[in-house]
Amino acid sequence: MAASKCVVITDDEQGYDLDLFCIPKHYSNDLERVYIPHGLIMDRTERLARDIMKGMGNHHIVALCVLKGGYKFFADLLDYIKALNRNSDQSIPMTVDFIRLKSYCNDQSTGEIKVIGGDNLSTLTGKNVLIVEDIIDTGKTMQTLLSMLQDYKPNMVKVVSLLVKRTPRSVGYRPDFVGFEVPDKFVVGYALDYNEYFRDLNHICVISEKGREKYKA
């Protein structure tokens, strides 16, 4: 499959002043800039829903949410797919499942991937699976998950990730559907966390040094 088109955010993109948006007061000193505003995330997610409908055909899809960071993107993406099911000629039945992976401590990927849950992956045998992820950093986590899934012999596996990070640590993995390609910065918000904080932030933002120190594990 050809590489997915996406919105590319360049290395010199400065983002937006925090004062231009509604930011929760408890995070006002913990962030540098708003990087991707919530409205832009939603518009891009709507388009991804359409691309997924087109790319996965008229098959029953099992949407597999990678927790915890993927839950907001997952919910919004499914809402857009459901709207397409209601309002267009093409309609895809969907069921949902969840898996939790852990590979971060503070702002660094540990390289070790813990799978929490996922005991019932045998239900994916013979199914068309859409893995919904918040961010692909090095790509190691997703490669591990994909190789795990192959043991259960799904019919088709596609991956959609809201963000893909441009990083020298990348193993070269690229998802089938991508929302935004972002520089090698640690971003939070829209369910992406730093030690469990910032999930309750609508926009995707760059964390400040003060924020890193404050919420360090």
Side-chain angles (χ1 to χ4, degrees):
M1 177 175 169
S4 168
K5 285 185 176 178
C6 66
V7 176
V8 177
I9 297 177
T10 59
D11 288 351
D12 56 3
E13 172 59 55
Q14 293 302 303
Y16 305 90
D17 197 305
L18 297 175
D19 293 341
L20 297 172
F21 296 90
C22 295
I23 302 291
K25 204 162 255 178
H26 53 274
Y27 290 142
S28 56
N29 295 319
D30 307 326
L31 303 166
E32 279 180 12
R33 310 278 286 173
V34 171
Y35 215 49
I36 309 175
H38 184 252
L40 185 54
I41 297 168
M42 297 303 283
D43 276 13
R44 184 72 190 114
T45 302
E46 184 176 14
R47 179 53 200 253
L48 284 170
R50 198 191 306 172
D51 292 346
I52 287 162
M53 290 277 276
K54 198 174 172 185
M56 296 194 75
N58 290 307
H59 308 289
H60 168 207
I61 294 175
V62 179
L64 181 64
C65 176
V66 180
L67 294 171
K68 296 178 184 176
Y71 82 86
K72 275 289 293 167
F73 177 48
F74 182 75
D76 289 334
L77 181 69
L78 260 60
D79 280 346
Y80 282 123
I81 290 175
K82 286 187 289 186
L84 286 168
N85 275 342
R86 291 193 304 270
N87 301 316
S88 66
D89 294 336
Q90 189 184 14
S91 180
I92 298 176
M94 293 193 78
T95 51
V96 300
D97 212 337
F98 300 88
I99 189 167
R100 189 171 164 207
L101 308 175
K102 190 167 173 63
S103 64
Y104 269 86
C105 179
N106 294 325
D107 59 352
Q108 296 298 315
S109 177
T110 59
E112 288 178 34
I113 293 130
K114 291 180 187 169
V115 178
I116 307 161
D119 293 340
N120 300 317
L121 291 179
S122 56
T123 56
L124 304 178
T125 302
K127 300 281 175 40
N128 299 299
V129 181
L130 175 68
I131 301 172
V132 183
E133 175 67 288
D134 57 346
I135 186 166
I136 301 290
D137 191 331
T138 63
K140 286 179 191 168
T141 303
M142 188 52 65
Q143 282 189 334
T144 302
L145 177 56
L146 287 169
S147 90
M148 260 177 60
L149 288 186
Q150 287 315 313
D151 295 341
Y152 298 94
K153 299 185 169 52
N155 181 50
M156 176 201 297
V157 180
K158 300 280 187 189
V159 178
V160 56
S161 183
L162 178 63
L163 306 177
V164 169
K165 197 178 277 190
R166 274 193 310 280
T167 169
R169 299 181 305 282
S170 171
V171 295
Y173 170 75
R174 189 89 179 173
D176 303 283
F177 306 99
V178 179
F180 301 87
E181 182 182 295
V182 296
D184 195 6
K185 296 183 180 185
F186 197 81
V187 289
V188 294
Y190 192 67
L192 282 85
D193 77 306
Y194 176 75
N195 294 329
E196 296 303 323
Y197 291 93
F198 302 102
R199 294 197 199 275
D200 55 337
L201 179 65
N202 272 346
H203 315 289
I204 291 176
C205 300
V206 178
I207 191 171
S208 66
E209 275 305 316
K210 195 176 279 188
R212 284 174 195 250
E213 279 306 309
K214 184 173 173 183
Y215 299 112
K216 203 172 187 177

